[in-house]
Amino acid sequence: RCLSDWSSDVCSSDLVGVTVVRNEITVKRSEAFQEVDLLLTGRSGSLLPQDASHRSFRLRWRKTHGDWRLLDIQSLDGR
C-alpha cells in the first residue's frame, strides 16, 4: 500500500522503525562525542521488536560559530 503526496510516493515496504536504545553524549569544550545504539525494524521484515536489527554508532561533533556540525560517524558494528 502506498501513500502519495506532491513530493514522493511512500510504500509500506519502505517504512523503517527506529528506536534509540542508548544515547550518551560527552561534551569537551567545542567538541562532542556521542554513542548511539539503535533498533531498526522494517524493510526486510516486520516492524516487531523481535525482528529488529541492532546497530551502534559513534559520532563526533564540533561547535562552529554557535552551530554543532557532524564531523564523523563510525559504525561500531564493523559495517
Side-chain angles (χ1 to χ4, degrees):
R1 184 170 181 188
C2 298
L3 304 172
S4 294
D5 65 16
W6 64 271
S7 62
S8 65
D9 290 333
V10 178
C11 297
S12 59
S13 60
D14 295 331
L15 298 179
V16 175
V18 178
T19 302
V20 177
V21 179
R22 179 177 71 100
N23 184 22
E24 295 180 8
I25 301 172
T26 303
V27 178
K28 295 181 181 176
R29 296 188 183 104
S30 62
E31 282 202 334
F33 303 91
Q34 180 179 16
E35 290 197 7
V36 180
D37 292 337
L38 305 173
L39 286 179
L40 304 175
T41 55
R43 284 204 191 241
S44 62
S46 71
L47 294 175
L48 299 174
Q50 62 266 27
D51 299 324
S53 63
H54 181 264
R55 299 290 306 272
S56 296
F57 298 94
R58 179 177 295 134
L59 299 87
R60 187 166 61 104
W61 301 84
R62 177 168 292 141
K63 192 171 189 177
T64 307
H65 305 295
D67 294 322
W68 286 99
R69 309 252 183 220
L70 181 62
L71 297 177
D72 186 46
I73 184 168
Q74 295 176 343
S75 174
L76 300 178
D77 305 315
R79 296 182 198 184

